[in-house]
Amino acid sequence: MRAGTFALFVAACVKLAHANVYYQSIDGIPDRTYDFIVVGGGTAGSVIASRLTEDPRISVLVVEAGPDNEGVLDLQIPGYYFQIPATYNWNYETEPGANIHNRVLKFDRGHVLGGSSCINGMVYTRGASDDYDAWAKITGDPGWSWNALFPLYKIHEKWLPPLGGRNITGQYDPRVHGYNGKTQVSLIQKSPDEFDLRALNTSTQYLCKDFPFNLDPNSGTPLGLTWTQSTIGDGVRSSASAAYLDTPVRARPNLDIVVNAYATRLLSSGTEKKKQLDIRTIELAPRSGGTTRKTLTAEKELILSAGAINSPQILLNSGIGDSADLTSMGIQTILNLPNVGKDMSDQPVTVALWNTTSGVPFPLLDPAAALEQWKSNHTGPLSAFATRQTIWSRIPSNSTIFKRFGPDPASGEGAPHIELSLYDDGAVAGTSIILLTPKSRGTVKLRSNNPFDPPRIDLGYFNNPFDLEALREGARLAKQFFSAPSWSDYLAAPITADPDAADPAPFEDNTRDFVLTTLHPVGTAAMSARGSKAGVLDPDLRVKGVTGLRVADASSIPLIPTGHPQAAVYALAERAAVLIKSAWY
């Protein structure tokens, strides 16, 4: 071994000698350097930290505001979605919605290592190939296209057959899945029931292009009736932290993780070149608050992965954002980037429901027996959460909606506008109606210059009239589907308002009164093309006008995918790790 090589080897050993420590607060973090500091240990942060530290030369510190996920039963049992303790949630609320009768909506975000992947509905849908090709067009980078990201999807995924012996032949396409990745994905354990068979009969009997059977929604062509896939493996929630920061990964000597550490702001590292800001320093505080502060500087880069709400909040608290907004909060602007916290997309959801002819609800779950079954073999009613079937559909091209409210917002003809998630409880049946292609945009803004104050989340629902009419079109699709002969002896009187009534007001009022959020915020620090004054990031996820700082999470997404965004965030994070490695090694 040459002397120079030996010296580098010794330096690396010294640098990593005290690693492999899991800290519970900022007090225990030693004063040493890391190549990369990942701010936020959620879905994207878990992926990036895990992938970077596969290379033993790279040292990483993960900073997470919430507690650890390890060993928490409530975060492992899929059926416990509705009873996850508030400890693991930021417990945000939205601003009163001007177009939804001033309603305030609960806005869940994961406050735990693994982030929202620990508390979400676990539905795994990549969206349409057109969505990612639109990313490539928006950013000018073909690396964000569907063909470029598809191999990363397969690398990240570990497809598993469901426990319990369900025969899934003909219910998914094995060619579009990965089998050796980190995130476990499967179909629900329970075999098709009478309701499922009626839906399948509808897709084969009903000669309508909106409802054909589609073997696999994750092929890039999701349109049609599909079996719902979830981030569940062997009956257990497969969160990002469980998948990417499992025990072997945590044992890596080049990875440190600190929980209960709140990122208050990013700071200049004082090494600016050519008058360009160099931001590689993070200021931390105990999650419980107080005046204690600790600063850490990454040798190479800070990677901000705090999510679509908290990443813009941290940027704004740091003086990076719209200078007018920052000045109004008493915060000094260090970089005027007007789009920080702007252009947020979220997918609103409402329902279309009917009484059934029986009117008899399914028997109530025995919670104790269900828990014992799950503990015994990870099967039973607690092994799943989502409904078994989903319809992905487009608003008919001859609808007047596009003439009345402007061009089609979908990324292409293969991208659905509407998701219908089918529902049946014995007494009531129907579907949720999710608008996948909203035109309305919301914002994330600061409430004050106190970094511990929750941000102001304005969803902006129905700011653009297209969205309300698109949900009406979705209700029409639901009505059309459930008008098929397969349902004639099962469905009785409708419960929700008729989208085709002569007076359109009842449907509109009903929608404003009952619309909810799918908790799918994206785009609050979005990528754009190099040289473009729009957006916040360049196509390599670097903050424009800054060195040393990237943002990689749902906030980076330039166009909301026509599915549940967690899958897209996994792909984005996998590519972020590739980009970071290629830039430095």
Side-chain angles (χ1 to χ4, degrees):
M1 184 181 290
R2 294 181 178 179
T5 305
F6 179 75
L8 290 173
F9 173 76
V10 171
C13 289
V14 170
K15 183 177 182 179
L16 302 177
H18 299 288
N20 191 24
V21 178
Y22 195 80
Y23 305 110
Q24 295 297 320
S25 72
I26 66 172
D27 297 333
I29 305 176
D31 292 323
R32 64 169 178 270
T33 58
Y34 298 89
D35 293 320
F36 301 96
I37 298 175
V38 178
V39 183
T43 305
S46 296
V47 173
I48 292 167
S50 181
R51 292 304 191 193
L52 291 181
T53 54
E54 289 175 344
D55 186 334
R57 299 172 297 172
I58 302 175
S59 60
V60 174
L61 173 69
V62 176
V63 176
E64 168 56 42
D68 190 8
N69 68 294
E70 208 168 43
V72 180
L73 202 64
D74 291 316
L75 304 181
Q76 299 172 5
I77 301 177
Y80 274 13
Y81 170 81
F82 286 115
Q83 63 185 64
I84 294 173
T87 304
Y88 305 108
N89 195 326
W90 283 96
N91 301 304
Y92 290 141
E93 290 184 338
T94 67
E95 297 296 291
N99 298 311
I100 57 172
H101 296 158
N102 289 317
R103 293 166 56 221
V104 173
L105 305 182
K106 191 170 179 284
F107 204 79
D108 296 339
R109 295 285 85 195
H111 178 257
V112 61
L113 195 66
S116 293
S117 71
C118 288
I119 70 167
N120 65 9
M122 296 159 284
V123 175
Y124 183 78
T125 53
R126 298 168 182 165
S129 60
D130 289 335
D131 300 333
Y132 300 92
D133 291 343
W135 290 15
K137 184 176 181 180
I138 291 167
T139 62
D141 181 354
W144 292 111
S145 68
W146 170 259
N147 286 340
L149 290 177
F150 184 69
L152 295 179
Y153 265 122
K154 297 185 78 170
I155 286 171
H156 110 90
E157 182 189 9
K158 184 174 184 178
W159 176 269
L160 294 173
L163 294 176
R166 172 182 173 181
N167 182 1
I168 59 173
T169 303
Q171 297 176 9
Y172 80 108
D173 186 347
R175 298 171 298 176
V176 304
H177 293 280
Y179 299 89
N180 299 301
K182 299 281 190 178
T183 303
Q184 297 177 344
V185 179
S186 66
L187 294 174
I188 292 171
Q189 294 175 9
K190 190 175 183 296
S191 296
D193 62 13
E194 180 186 350
F195 184 87
D196 301 328
L197 296 177
R198 289 178 187 270
L200 289 171
N201 286 338
T202 301
S203 73
T204 56
Q205 293 176 0
Y206 216 49
L207 299 179
C208 177
K209 66 178 182 179
D210 295 301
F211 312 126
F213 177 71
N214 184 335
L215 183 61
D216 202 304
N218 285 316
S219 63
T221 54
L223 294 173
L225 173 72
T226 69
W227 293 102
T228 304
Q229 301 174 17
S230 299
T231 48
I232 297 172
D234 293 333
V236 181
R237 176 192 287 269
S238 182
S239 67
S241 46
Y244 283 86
L245 297 178
D246 57 5
T247 300
V249 173
R250 293 183 186 209
R252 290 174 183 167
N254 54 336
L255 173 64
D256 283 354
I257 304 170
V258 58
V259 294
N260 304 311
Y262 189 88
T264 54
R265 55 182 178 153
L266 314 173
L267 300 170
S268 168
S269 302
T271 56
E272 284 76 16
K273 298 178 180 179
K274 298 181 180 179
K275 296 183 179 181
Q276 189 173 40
L277 278 171
D278 179 39
I279 297 180
R280 292 176 289 112
T281 300
I282 182 73
E283 180 184 79
L284 303 176
R287 180 65 187 96
S288 55
T291 59
T292 302
R293 298 289 187 271
K294 186 180 184 70
T295 59
L296 297 169
T297 300
E299 286 196 339
K300 291 181 169 64
E301 288 186 15
L302 278 181
I303 299 118
L304 184 56
S305 297
I309 304 302
N310 295 106
S311 281
Q313 180 191 21
I314 293 169
L315 290 171
L316 293 169
N317 276 317
S318 307
I320 302 172
D322 188 317
S323 60
D325 291 345
L326 294 173
T327 299
S328 71
M329 289 288 112
I331 296 174
Q332 180 182 355
T333 302
I334 65 171
L335 180 64
N336 182 31
L337 275 179
N339 288 101
V340 172
K342 311 286 180 65
D343 300 321
M344 179 174 72
S345 294
D346 185 43
Q347 295 164 332
V349 57
T350 185
V351 294
L353 299 175
W354 287 261
N355 290 303
T356 67
T357 51
S358 74
V360 179
F362 296 142
L364 291 175
L365 173 70
D366 181 338
L371 179 58
E372 284 305 309
Q373 180 177 357
W374 187 89
K375 286 182 175 179
S376 173
N377 55 21
H378 293 173
T379 64
L382 294 183
S383 67
F385 169 70
T387 56
R388 290 185 293 275
Q389 293 173 317
T390 304
I391 297 170
W392 309 91
S393 191
R394 286 183 59 80
I395 296 171
S397 58
N398 61 357
S399 169
T400 61
I401 190 172
F402 303 117
K403 293 181 180 178
R404 295 169 60 201
F405 301 109
D408 185 349
S411 58
E413 293 184 357
H417 299 103
I418 299 293
E419 173 189 344
L420 302 177
S421 185
L422 305 186
Y423 170 82
D424 176 38
D425 72 2
V428 173
T431 180
S432 64
I433 305 168
I434 299 175
L435 175 58
L436 301 170
T437 57
K439 286 193 175 187
S440 299
R441 295 292 181 264
T443 59
V444 175
K445 295 186 176 183
L446 297 182
R447 194 170 300 276
S448 74
N449 58 13
N450 180 353
F452 285 94
D453 280 348
R456 295 176 57 195
I457 304 168
D458 183 353
L459 297 176
Y461 279 177
F462 307 143
N463 283 348
N464 191 306
F466 172 89
D467 295 358
L468 187 60
E469 289 305 306
L471 286 174
R472 191 192 302 272
E473 292 284 356
R476 288 189 175 115
L477 288 167
K479 180 181 175 181
Q480 184 180 5
F481 181 79
F482 285 109
S483 296
S486 305
W487 307 100
S488 60
D489 64 341
Y490 190 69
L491 297 184
I495 298 172
T496 48
D498 184 354
D500 296 313
D503 181 1
F507 179 86
E508 180 177 313
D509 284 341
N510 182 267
T511 302
R512 294 184 193 276
D513 281 336
F514 295 105
V515 70
L516 293 173
T517 169
T518 53
L519 304 168
H520 293 169
V522 307
T524 49
M527 291 184 284
S528 61
R530 300 184 198 280
S532 171
K533 293 183 179 180
V536 176
L537 312 177
D538 71 14
D540 291 336
L541 303 168
R542 294 188 177 101
V543 175
K544 292 186 174 186
V546 173
T547 61
L549 178 62
R550 296 187 205 235
V551 181
D553 55 31
S555 72
S556 315
I557 292 175
L559 178 71
I560 193 165
T562 51
H564 296 230
Q566 75 153 333
V569 173
Y570 277 118
L572 183 144
E574 288 279 7
R575 183 160 194 245
V578 172
L579 290 170
I580 294 165
K581 286 182 179 180
S582 64
W584 292 98
Y585 300 95

